């Protein structure tokens, strides 16, 4: 009897032991899946995935003294800036059509913020790095979100309030001040109670920058007013699978180099932009390994502009013969607002062995809410030509996508994707994608990607009506691109590697207005080809070095590589003198730039800028301070202006100083 | 060119990936318990993990220890878990830890610690699987998926019997 009891006891012990071990095995399996998912979501393992992505992280950007999203983008290989109306900056990827706005998409915490009017997102370029957790930049049309079709590139910003890397959320106070009376302050706040999580960020910034400009197209020489008053609020609330997130952004700024590329002496001129996004959704599991997300979004944007677009005494010729003089100049006033609603259902299936399938549908409806252009020739006392800015007031869009990332084995993965888009005012679009990544071993990775994509015309390009500097063509068609990309990555450790990317882009129907009537039209087919080289490593245990070089050749509009540099090189170096003191430097070289064929001006000169930053962490209070000098050697450099506007181009910022403080709680 | 590559390889030894560390802090203690003979490697029902560091790795070692302690609150299943920091220069031959963890340290001192561990059939984890050349036994790697790697060339020397299902989720390389 005792033997039997002992036997039973032993069996129970063994069974219990097995159960405990099985629990640990199951925990380990869960961990493997969890960390794989985090690595994929945060692009930690992106070198092994079928994309060409640059990931910029907060700590790195902060140590480098980088102030804003726009400044951060300038570190990415092959990315340059162009300048459009009212001095608005627009990132250019790989030299692709610098006259088009919207060839790249900006996604903030999973929500596309490009507007319908211009395809623009410029008001977010001033977003301070203090609220950014990381920036994922895809060069080329392959977006990291299957429901988003980028054209030349996509930028995904993950804010610290919405960080998804599994680390604890933060409470941070931050402030900056510097040249041109720059002042900025804000906070990030997090609250968690059981399954309820509330995260928010808020900032306000202002400066009174102005830049010597001109002569403009009327021969005026003045300081372009680039002052800024900007505040923004981000909010994220989650409860179980439910979430609500939003960003509310308002900035008022000087009109800089003008709506119609002319300088204004009226100090009351301004451009007022309000942009808000809201997304409400529910994530739920349909079955083991089958996740669904139902979401509803809203994007509202309003732009109000007052701009004296012709100086006192300016004249125009009407009907080819009759001169009309404006003794008190000519004002344009715009009040424009658009609203987009969208509804989406996304399904992800990870339960099929070696497949990660996602598919979904998204419906969106965009409407004009305000649409008024008015003009004044008596100093804003009375208005005439009070007309609609656009000849169309809505766009409806249905999008379907399916994507499968197939891990054939440990060495090879392929991605197959197809997106279908139907608009009420643009032709149906099929956008296929094929990508293969071969991990020869952990240190040698080869990738090849083919993507077809398109960019639908913005409302400005298609429907602008009335008399303005630009004109639209209602028959303008979408831009299309066939992108072939190859990449080789040689890793020398977890954070040290060399990357070589080759690309060939066939662009069709590029939309631009570089013609006599400034009318947006499709202009032929062009090809771009080039390469990007990147090196990231450390020379000791105290430093970090990053260098990239990009080369592009071919043509973007007409038969030239207009307004884009063939050669761009960027580098930064961070040296930790002690564990709480570091110095860093950023060096950027942008080669000279050709003009359009009709533009007889000399090339835009090349330039080199150097930034220097000293950082100090006061450990006792977790207070981080940085002092930066930007454009240390006060290099005079210019970004190109369209022909017939500013003959001497747009002068950029000289030497400036910036001090920043941030404290974590 | 060869010198340049060598410089890169050497330089790469000093970078630490916070996500990888978090994953290791979560998984490695569980793996210790999958050793069938773990009871014989405990003292007073305490499973101990020695984080062996060189002087310049102390900060990272402290972070790693804090990560594990936060995850486990000093309890590993029905046992107690103790994470100890050991300066490799002060390593004692009488050390009786249940397992060892190494960052990217190398050299004679590391060899001595690993020989000590192998002799006593204790698991040696390494931050980077590339350090398998130093005869560490287990590491973790984040690629398109997360992999637990077991060092094929020394698995016999360690002579540690893991529960069979562990071999189904780990990869012997």
């Amino acid at each position: 009897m005792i033997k039997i009891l002992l036997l039973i006891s032993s069996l129970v012990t063994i069974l219990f032991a097995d159960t405990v071990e099985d629990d640990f095995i199951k925990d380990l399996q869960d961990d493997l899946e969890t960390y794989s998912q985090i690595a994929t979501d945060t692009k930690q393992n992106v070198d092994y995935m079928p994309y060409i992505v640059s990931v910029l992280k907060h700590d790195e950007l902060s140590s480098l003294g980088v102030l804003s999203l726009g400044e951060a983008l300038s570190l990415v290989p092959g990315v340059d800036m162009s300048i459009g109306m009212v001095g608005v900056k627009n990132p250019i990827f790989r030299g692709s059509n610098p006259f088009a706005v919207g060839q790249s998409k900006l996604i903030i915490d999973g929500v596309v913020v490009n507007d319908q009017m211009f395809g623009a997102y410029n008001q977010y370029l001033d977003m301070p790095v203090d609220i950014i957790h990381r920036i994922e930049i895809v060069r080329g049309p392959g977006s990291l979100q299957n429901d988003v079709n980028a054209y030349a590139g996509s930028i995904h910003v993950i804010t610290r309030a919405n960080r998804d890397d599994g680390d604890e959320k933060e409470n941070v106070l931050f402030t900056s001040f510097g040249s041109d009376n720059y002042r900025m302050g804000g906070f990030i706040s997090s609250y968690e109670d059981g399954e309820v999580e509330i995260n928010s960020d808020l900032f306000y910034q202002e400066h009174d920058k102005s830049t010597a400009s001109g002569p403009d197209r009327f021969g005026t020489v003045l300081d372009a007013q680039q002052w800024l008053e900007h505040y923004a609020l981000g909010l994220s609330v989650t409860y179980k699978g439910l979430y609500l997130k939003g960003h509310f952004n308002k900035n008022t700024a000087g009109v800089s180099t003008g709506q119609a590329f002319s300088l204004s002496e009226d100090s009351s001129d301004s451009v007022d932009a309000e942009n808000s996004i809201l997304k409400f959704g529910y994530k739920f599991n349909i079955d083991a390994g089958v996740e669904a997300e139902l979401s509803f979004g809203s994007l509202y944007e309003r732009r109000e502009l007052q701009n004296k677009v012709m100086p006192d005494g300016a004249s125009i010729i009407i009907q080819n013969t009759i001169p009309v003089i404006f003794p008190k100049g000519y004002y344009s006033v715009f009040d424009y607002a658009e609203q987009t609603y969208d509804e989406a259902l996304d399904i992800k299936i990870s339960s099929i062995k070696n497949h990660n399938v996602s598919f979904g549908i998204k419906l969106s409806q965009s409407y004009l809410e305000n649409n008024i252009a008015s003009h004044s020739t008596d100093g804003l006392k009375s208005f005439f030509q009070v007309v609609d800015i656009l000849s169309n007031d809505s766009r409806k869009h249905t999008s379907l996508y399916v994507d499968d990332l197939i891990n054939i084995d440990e060495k090879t993965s392929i991605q197959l994707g197809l997106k279908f888009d139907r608009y009420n005012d643009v032709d149906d679009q099929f956008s296929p994608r094929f990508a293969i990544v071969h991990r020869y071993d952990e240190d040698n990775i080869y990738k090849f990607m083919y993507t077809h994509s398109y960019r639908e015309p913005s409302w400005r390009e298609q429907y602008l009506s009335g008399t303005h500097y630009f004109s639209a063509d209602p028959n303008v068609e979408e831009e299309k691109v066939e992108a072939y990309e190859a990449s080789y990555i040689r890793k020398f450790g977890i954070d040290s590697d060399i990357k070589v990317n080759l690309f060939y882009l066939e662009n069709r129907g590029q939309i631009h207005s570089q013609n006599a009537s400034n009318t947006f039209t499709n202009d032929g087919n062009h090809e771009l080809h080039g390469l990007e080289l990147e090196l990231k490593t450390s020379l000791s245990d105290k430093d970090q070095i990053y260098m990239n070089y990009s080369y592009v050749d071919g043509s973007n509009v007409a038969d030239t590589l207009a307004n884009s540099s063939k050669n761009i090189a960027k580098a930064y170096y961070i040296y930790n003198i002690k564990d709480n003191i570091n110095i860093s430097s950023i060096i950027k070289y942008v080669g000279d730039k050709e003009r359009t064929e009709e533009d007889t001006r000399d090339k835009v000169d090349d330039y080199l800028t150097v930034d220097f930053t000293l950082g100090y962490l006061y450990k006792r209070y977790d207070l981080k301070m940085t002092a930066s000098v930007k454009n240390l050697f006060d290099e005079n450099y210019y970004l190109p202006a369209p022909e017939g506007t500013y003959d001497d181009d747009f002068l950029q910022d000289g030497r400036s100083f910036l001090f920043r403080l941030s404290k974590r709680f | 060119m060869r010198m340049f590559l060598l410089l890169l390889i050497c330089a790469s030894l000093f970078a630490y990936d916070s996500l990888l560390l978090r994953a290791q802090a979560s998984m490695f203690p569980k793996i210790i318990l999958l050793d069938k003979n773990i009871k014989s490697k405990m003292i007073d029902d305490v499973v101990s993990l020695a984080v062996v560091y060189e002087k310049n790795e102390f900060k990272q070692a402290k972070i790693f220890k804090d990560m594990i302690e936060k995850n486990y609150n000093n309890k590993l299943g029905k046992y107690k878990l103790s994470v100890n920091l050991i300066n490799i220069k002060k390593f004692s031959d009488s050390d009786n830890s249940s397992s060892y963890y190494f960052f990217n340290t190398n050299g004679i001192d590391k060899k001595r610690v690993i020989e000590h561990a192998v002799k006593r059939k204790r698991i040696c984890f390494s931050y980077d699987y590339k350090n398998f050349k130093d005869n560490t036994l287990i590491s973790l790697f984040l690629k398109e998926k997360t992999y637990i790697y077991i060092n094929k060339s020394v698995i016999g020397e360690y002579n540690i019997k893991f529960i069979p299902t562990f071999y189904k989720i780990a990869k012997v390389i």
Side-chain angles (χ1 to χ4, degrees):
Chain A
M1 184 63 183
I2 291 171
K3 279 183 180 175
I4 291 170
L5 282 173
L6 281 173
L7 185 62
I8 291 169
S9 168
S10 302
L11 279 170
V12 167
T13 307
I14 290 165
L15 283 172
F16 177 74
D18 280 345
T19 304
V20 170
E21 286 155 356
D22 287 347
D23 284 349
F24 277 111
I25 286 288
K26 188 176 179 314
D27 279 355
L28 273 176
Q29 284 174 316
D30 289 345
D31 279 349
L32 289 172
E33 280 178 28
T34 300
Y35 285 99
S36 296
Q37 194 58 48
I38 293 173
T40 303
D41 289 345
T42 59
K43 310 300 170 287
Q44 193 88 9
N45 61 355
V46 78
D47 286 346
Y48 300 97
M49 306 297 269
Y51 309 101
I52 295 177
V53 188
S54 299
V55 180
L56 302 171
K57 294 179 180 171
H58 171 82
D59 287 345
E60 203 171 16
L61 294 171
S62 177
S63 295
L64 289 165
V66 172
L67 175 65
S68 63
L69 170 61
E71 208 178 311
L73 295 178
S74 70
L75 295 172
V76 177
V79 174
D80 196 6
M81 288 284 175
S82 68
I83 290 194
M85 294 188 309
V86 290
V88 160
K89 286 190 174 174
N90 179 45
I92 309 168
F93 284 73
R94 293 171 165 171
S96 184
N97 194 354
F99 303 101
V101 179
Q103 280 209 342
S104 56
K105 291 264 168 64
L106 177 63
I107 304 154
I108 310 268
D109 293 325
V111 181
V112 177
V113 297
N114 296 58
D115 62 20
Q116 295 286 345
M117 178 66 167
F118 304 100
Y121 52 79
N122 57 285
Q123 61 270 43
Y124 285 97
L125 293 177
D126 291 320
M127 175 186 273
V129 158
D130 301 79
I131 68 161
I132 294 173
H133 177 247
R134 69 176 189 279
I135 310 167
E136 301 160 359
I137 303 114
V138 178
R139 302 186 292 281
S143 158
L144 292 168
Q145 269 186 222
N146 298 323
D147 62 337
V148 177
N149 65 297
Y151 186 96
S154 61
I155 303 152
H156 194 175
V157 174
I158 293 88
T159 60
R160 291 166 89 181
N162 282 282
R163 63 186 295 176
D164 54 357
D165 61 350
D167 257 357
E168 278 181 25
K169 299 279 178 25
E170 301 159 292
N171 290 293
V172 186
L173 267 177
F174 53 86
T175 184
S176 299
F177 46 96
S179 302
D180 301 310
N181 285 321
Y182 178 74
R183 285 175 287 190
M184 188 269 284
F187 68 81
I188 299 163
S189 173
S190 304
Y191 170 80
E192 194 173 348
D193 184 9
E195 292 184 278
V196 178
E197 199 176 312
I198 302 171
N199 301 289
S200 63
D201 56 55
L202 176 75
F203 70 84
Y204 172 79
Q205 60 182 340
E206 63 174 29
H207 61 69
D208 60 11
K209 189 189 295 179
S210 62
T211 304
S213 299
D216 65 9
R217 63 197 184 96
F218 295 101
T220 308
V221 177
L222 276 174
D223 284 350
Q225 297 303 315
Q226 296 165 328
W227 54 269
L228 175 74
E229 292 171 1
H230 179 200
Y231 64 83
L233 168 71
L235 181 68
S236 163
V237 182
T238 57
Y239 173 68
K240 295 185 177 173
L242 288 167
Y243 66 85
L244 173 70
K245 54 188 171 186
H247 286 274
F248 310 93
N249 197 76
K250 182 169 169 48
N251 61 15
T252 307
V255 292
S256 187
T257 44
Q259 167 76 10
F261 299 105
S262 56
L263 294 162
S264 169
E265 79 276 14
D266 187 338
S267 59
S268 71
D269 279 5
S270 67
V271 55
D272 199 345
E274 191 181 323
N275 181 297
S276 60
I277 51 176
L278 203 60
K279 189 174 179 183
F280 171 71
Y282 180 52
K283 293 179 182 176
F284 55 101
N285 291 324
I286 296 174
D287 200 352
V290 183
E291 295 172 22
E293 181 177 350
L294 185 62
S295 63
F296 303 90
S298 160
L299 187 153
Y300 174 79
E301 180 166 291
R302 180 169 188 170
R303 287 177 190 249
E304 292 175 90
L305 171 94
Q306 174 198 302
N307 188 194
K308 190 173 184 179
V309 294
M310 290 189 206
D312 294 350
S315 63
I316 57 170
I317 306 289
I318 58 171
Q319 295 173 353
N320 290 327
T321 52
I322 308 163
V324 179
I325 300 171
F326 303 113
K328 292 191 174 181
Y330 190 106
Y331 280 85
S332 288
V333 176
F334 296 100
D335 184 356
Y336 159 82
E338 66 176 58
Q339 173 72 61
T340 296
Y341 296 107
D342 62 67
E343 308 82 36
L345 176 65
D346 300 276
I347 310 277
K348 285 182 184 171
I349 303 174
S350 56
S351 54
I352 305 170
K353 194 178 178 189
N354 296 326
H355 288 258
N356 282 293
V357 181
S358 57
F359 58 92
I361 181 168
K362 185 174 187 177
L363 311 173
S364 70
Q365 310 83 37
S366 303
Y367 305 98
L368 272 175
E369 292 208 337
N370 284 8
N371 183 27
I372 303 165
S374 45
H375 304 270
S376 174
T377 55
D378 59 2
L380 297 172
K381 287 179 185 154
S382 63
F383 293 91
F384 67 100
Q385 271 195 3
V386 180
V387 294
D388 288 347
I389 303 169
L390 301 175
S391 59
N392 183 37
D393 64 0
S394 69
R395 172 173 281 169
K396 291 189 172 65
H397 177 199
T398 301
S399 181
L400 297 161
Y401 72 88
V402 59
D403 184 276
D404 190 6
L405 179 62
I406 307 161
N407 292 320
I408 293 171
D409 55 33
E410 193 183 337
K411 284 183 179 291
T412 307
S413 301
I414 64 170
Q415 185 191 33
L416 300 170
L418 180 65
K419 189 165 177 283
F420 170 73
D421 292 276
R422 169 161 286 177
Y423 296 83
N424 64 328
D425 60 347
V426 180
D427 289 343
D428 288 354
Q429 302 294 326
F430 287 92
S431 306
R433 172 174 166 81
F434 168 77
I436 182 164
V437 55
H438 180 68
R439 298 168 285 268
Y440 176 77
D441 55 30
E442 274 73 9
D443 299 331
N444 293 277
I445 303 139
Y446 299 88
K447 303 180 185 185
F448 173 78
M449 287 146 280
Y450 161 76
T451 314
H452 169 91
S453 192
Y454 73 97
R455 179 181 74 88
E456 71 278 17
S458 68
W459 282 352
R460 177 179 70 150
E461 291 164 336
Q462 198 167 1
Y463 299 122
L464 193 64
S465 67
T467 307
H468 306 287
Y469 179 82
F470 293 112
S471 302
D473 174 3
N475 298 315
V476 73
E477 295 182 343
E478 67 283 351
E479 296 182 322
K480 290 182 179 175
V481 61
E482 311 283 340
Y484 303 87
E485 301 167 89
S487 177
Y488 168 65
I489 299 173
R490 174 72 170 94
K491 294 180 84 69
F492 299 96
I494 283 162
D495 205 23
S496 188
D497 52 50
I498 289 176
K499 296 176 183 173
V500 182
N501 306 318
L502 303 172
F503 63 87
Y504 177 77
L505 309 172
E506 284 178 9
N507 290 301
R508 296 204 296 273
Q510 298 297 280
I511 303 172
H512 69 89
S513 60
Q514 304 304 298
N515 47 51
S517 61
N518 297 327
T519 303
F520 291 106
T521 47
N522 297 103
D523 184 14
N525 306 329
H526 306 283
E527 60 86 20
L528 291 165
H529 56 271
L531 65 86
E532 291 142 359
L533 305 174
E534 292 178 84
L535 165 68
K536 190 169 195 174
T537 189
S538 306
L539 301 176
S540 73
D541 60 339
K542 290 183 172 178
D543 68 358
Q544 189 183 342
I545 187 166
Y546 172 73
M547 293 188 273
N548 70 54
Y549 165 74
S550 55
Y551 171 79
V552 62
D553 205 353
S555 58
N556 49 22
V557 296
D559 288 323
T560 61
L561 185 69
N563 288 17
S564 299
S565 176
K566 283 186 177 178
N567 300 286
I568 301 177
K570 300 159 183 180
Y572 67 71
Y573 180 71
I574 302 172
Y575 183 76
N576 298 307
I577 298 168
K578 293 173 72 175
D579 65 352
N580 65 334
I581 302 175
N582 66 63
I583 53 171
S584 68
S585 184
I586 300 174
I587 302 173
K588 292 177 215 161
Y589 169 78
V590 178
D592 55 18
K593 293 168 183 167
E594 300 269 5
R595 311 277 189 176
T596 55
E597 284 170 316
E598 298 77 20
D599 192 338
T600 55
R601 289 177 293 169
D602 290 341
K603 290 179 180 179
V604 183
D605 286 342
D606 59 348
Y607 63 87
L608 185 139
T609 60
V610 178
D611 300 347
F612 179 81
T613 293
L614 171 66
Y616 174 71
L617 174 68
Y618 188 25
K619 289 182 182 175
R620 187 172 171 189
Y621 296 111
D622 205 356
L623 183 67
K624 191 171 185 181
M625 294 170 263
T626 60
S628 306
V629 189
K630 314 244 173 188
N631 194 357
L632 180 65
F633 300 110
D634 204 19
E635 170 96 345
N636 269 336
Y637 69 101
Y638 296 82
L639 292 181
E643 187 192 10
T645 61
Y646 291 80
D647 281 349
D648 296 336
D649 297 308
F650 298 125
L651 177 64
Q652 297 303 294
D653 297 343
R655 184 190 297 121
S656 65
F657 301 90
L658 179 72
F659 300 92
R660 307 170 71 183
L661 286 103
S662 69
K663 174 169 173 49
R664 290 176 207 241
F665 295 92
Chain B
M1 185 63 184
R2 189 171 290 178
M3 279 301 290
F4 176 67
L5 294 179
L6 187 64
L7 178 67
L8 284 178
I9 290 164
C10 293
S12 71
L13 296 177
F14 299 102
Y16 297 106
D17 178 321
S18 67
L19 181 63
L20 181 59
L21 280 174
R22 269 165 49 206
Q24 294 180 345
S26 177
M27 288 188 236
F28 285 169
K30 291 167 192 159
I31 293 172
I32 301 170
L33 275 202
L34 303 181
D35 177 352
K36 284 181 170 178
N37 296 316
I38 188 62
K39 276 216 84 161
S40 65
K41 299 166 190 175
M42 296 181 202
I43 299 171
D44 299 331
D45 275 358
V46 176
V47 177
S48 56
L49 171 65
V51 179
V52 184
Y53 67 92
E54 279 191 337
K55 192 180 169 188
N56 63 352
E57 296 170 330
F58 175 74
K59 187 180 163 191
Q60 209 57 51
K62 179 78 171 56
I63 291 170
F64 189 60
K65 172 180 158 72
D66 291 346
M67 282 178 178
I68 297 174
E69 288 178 345
K70 192 175 170 192
N71 280 342
Y72 289 94
N73 199 21
N74 297 330
K75 283 173 75 176
L76 187 60
K78 58 184 176 178
Y79 306 113
K80 287 180 185 166
L81 173 67
S82 170
V83 184
N84 308 306
L85 301 184
I86 296 183
N87 184 328
I88 198 163
K89 295 285 183 202
K90 295 178 182 170
F91 183 79
S92 160
D93 288 339
S94 62
D95 187 273
N96 201 19
S97 300
S98 316
S99 56
Y100 298 88
Y101 176 89
F102 299 88
F103 288 99
N104 283 328
T105 182
N106 51 25
I108 283 184
D109 291 322
K110 182 178 184 183
K111 194 178 171 194
R112 186 164 64 90
V113 180
I114 290 176
E115 282 173 359
H116 172 87
V118 170
K119 204 184 297 175
R120 292 168 175 248
K121 300 183 182 177
R122 306 304 206 253
I123 303 170
C124 288
F125 297 104
S126 61
Y127 166 78
D128 191 338
Y129 81 95
K130 285 182 182 161
N131 295 330
F132 277 180
K133 64 184 184 316
D134 298 329
N135 293 348
T136 50
L137 181 65
I138 289 175
S139 191
L140 199 67
F141 196 65
L142 302 175
K143 285 201 296 186
E144 84 290 356
K145 291 195 287 189
T146 306
Y147 291 92
I148 298 168
Y149 284 158
I150 303 175
N151 188 354
K152 189 178 185 177
S153 63
V154 292
I155 198 165
E157 280 180 55
Y158 275 87
N159 196 19
I160 295 172
K161 306 291 179 206
F162 290 106
I163 66 163
T165 43
F166 179 54
Y167 295 100
K168 289 182 182 170
I169 61 168
K171 190 171 169 57
V172 180
I173 62 165

